[in-house]
Amino acid sequence: MEKNISVRDYAAQCIKDEAQALLDLIPHLDDNFDNSVELILRCHGKVIVTGVGKSGHIGAKIAATLSSTGTPSFFINPLDAYHGDLGVITRDDVVLAISNSGQTDELLRFIPILQHTQVPIIGMSGNPKSLLAKYSTYHINVSVKKEACPLGLAPTSSTTATLAMGDALAVALMERRDFRPKDFARFHPGGELGKRLLTTAADVMRTNDMPTITPEMHLGEAIIHVSKGKLGLGVAITNGRIAGLITDGDIRRAMEKWQAEFFDRTVADIMTRQPKTVSPETKITEIQEIMNKYKIHTVLVVDDDNHLLGVVDHYSCMV
């Protein structure tokens, strides 16, 4: 039991150390960070992220995050650049070079090539006095007081700090670009969010066995149509166009109000004459906003002439 507790203590201390390392990054957010964001915003090409070893792994993730949030980016290993991949870098690009020490030989040999082609460099390291910092256009400091590794050797707090700073760059750029969920969906069309943001009413609406009624129909008959439709509503149609809508709730309230007179009443007496309608191209996220705003569970899908095309309910939007 003692051994298990000790192991948990080590794990807890590791998490505390890394969490503190992240908080310690906040004072490092200076003009270099601001200028780096502006440099990337002005970039007409790509952000090319590079690094060696653990920094390379972190860099690949940062590049992926940037790309998925509106900043075209990819990762390149500096070793590959020496063997033909250098041709992908142009003067319109920005290079984000990552090295905890700022003294990584393979990375430093890459810098003169970038300087020769006048490609701006954003250095990200834990050493503001390093050669990487010296030769960068802007340098972002990600230094940590100690690694979470008990030996103080394995990159732990330092890699976490670098990853977090990369996320901070991405988030700052998202805000400056006014990057919104619809933009995110374009880069994630296969994910759940992408599906919700790209799916339209036409994709999910029910079109068969529509519970259609007429305004003149007596409520006793209308109940049968509403029940068969299994949508909890009936759509009143006049001359092929939508005239109104009744729901289960409307029917219950009418029963309570008129009691014995209920069966003498018509659909026109209780229907909503301007129900919420949408076009087939309306995104389901917009439909959900309408439902939430007006506290309704269903919208009608119509064409330009107010002909009923289908019905979208709350459950249809749960793609």
Side-chain angles (χ1 to χ4, degrees):
M1 183 63 69
E2 282 295 319
K3 184 175 181 180
N4 289 335
I5 294 175
S6 178
V7 167
R8 292 181 187 178
D9 288 342
Y10 288 137
Q13 188 59 50
C14 174
I15 294 171
K16 289 178 182 178
D17 288 343
E18 296 204 7
Q20 187 59 53
L22 296 185
L23 293 175
D24 290 341
L25 285 180
I26 296 175
H28 295 165
L29 297 172
D30 56 13
D31 290 344
N32 280 285
F33 182 87
D34 298 345
N35 291 332
S36 296
V37 171
E38 294 304 317
L39 179 62
I40 294 173
L41 283 172
R42 296 194 305 269
C43 173
H44 296 294
K46 309 166 292 297
V47 174
I48 299 170
V49 187
T50 186
V52 180
K54 301 293 191 300
S55 293
H57 295 307
I58 296 298
K61 192 276 178 186
I62 292 175
T65 299
L66 289 170
S67 289
S68 68
T69 53
T71 300
S73 177
F74 65 88
F75 175 80
I76 184 172
N77 189 311
L79 298 176
D80 294 331
Y82 305 139
H83 299 283
D85 287 357
L86 194 61
V88 302
I89 303 176
T90 72
R91 293 179 63 177
D92 291 330
D93 300 329
V94 171
V95 168
L96 173 60
I98 302 172
S99 166
N100 184 45
S101 68
Q103 301 288 115
T104 306
D105 183 62
E106 297 91 341
L107 191 63
L108 293 178
R109 285 191 283 127
F110 188 37
I111 288 179
I113 303 172
L114 300 176
Q115 291 181 320
H116 178 72
T117 52
Q118 298 182 350
V119 176
I121 303 169
I122 299 173
M124 187 180 291
S125 83
N127 185 359
K129 297 181 179 180
S130 64
L131 288 175
L132 175 60
K134 179 180 179 179
Y135 290 108
S136 294
T137 309
Y138 302 112
H139 178 260
I140 298 176
N141 185 358
V142 289
S143 61
V144 298
K145 294 177 181 177
K146 66 174 183 176
E147 298 287 4
C149 164
L151 301 178
L153 299 174
T156 45
S157 297
S158 59
T159 49
T160 300
T162 304
L163 182 61
M165 189 62 81
D167 287 341
L169 265 179
V171 168
L173 287 162
M174 288 174 69
E175 290 295 336
R176 291 286 279 107
R177 295 185 195 281
D178 195 28
F179 196 81
R180 292 292 173 251
K182 68 180 187 300
D183 303 308
F184 190 86
R186 290 190 296 112
F187 296 98
H188 299 76
E192 180 180 348
L193 176 61
K195 289 180 181 178
R196 289 198 298 111
L197 290 166
L198 297 177
T199 302
T200 65
D203 296 324
V204 299
M205 68 183 183
R206 172 174 163 179
T207 58
N208 61 316
D209 299 325
M210 289 289 94
T212 56
I213 52 182
T214 65
E216 299 78 24
M217 184 180 292
H218 283 90
L219 291 178
E221 184 181 355
I223 290 176
I224 298 173
H225 289 273
V226 171
S227 178
K228 286 183 179 180
K230 297 180 179 180
L231 286 172
L233 58 83
V235 184
I237 303 294
T238 298
N239 297 325
R241 291 180 172 84
I242 296 172
L245 175 77
I246 65 171
T247 66
D248 284 338
D250 295 328
I251 294 172
R252 288 195 300 272
R253 286 185 289 273
M255 284 182 172
E256 293 174 1
K257 178 179 179 180
W258 288 309
Q259 299 184 14
E261 299 178 13
F262 172 80
F263 290 98
D264 296 326
R265 299 288 180 166
T266 66
V267 169
D269 292 327
I270 67 169
M271 70 183 186
T272 299
R273 297 181 181 273
Q274 292 183 320
K276 299 304 175 186
T277 61
V278 298
S279 70
E281 296 78 24
T282 305
K283 302 292 191 299
I284 62 171
T285 49
E286 298 176 48
I287 294 175
Q288 287 175 320
E289 291 176 1
I290 294 171
M291 290 179 178
N292 292 334
K293 180 178 180 179
Y294 295 101
K295 295 180 173 55
I296 57 177
H297 299 285
T298 311
V299 296
L300 307 180
V301 185
V302 299
D303 62 15
D304 294 337
D305 293 320
N306 206 34
H307 295 127
L308 179 65
L309 300 178
V311 175
V312 175
D313 62 13
H314 171 75
Y315 297 102
S316 303
C317 295
M318 300 172 63
V319 297

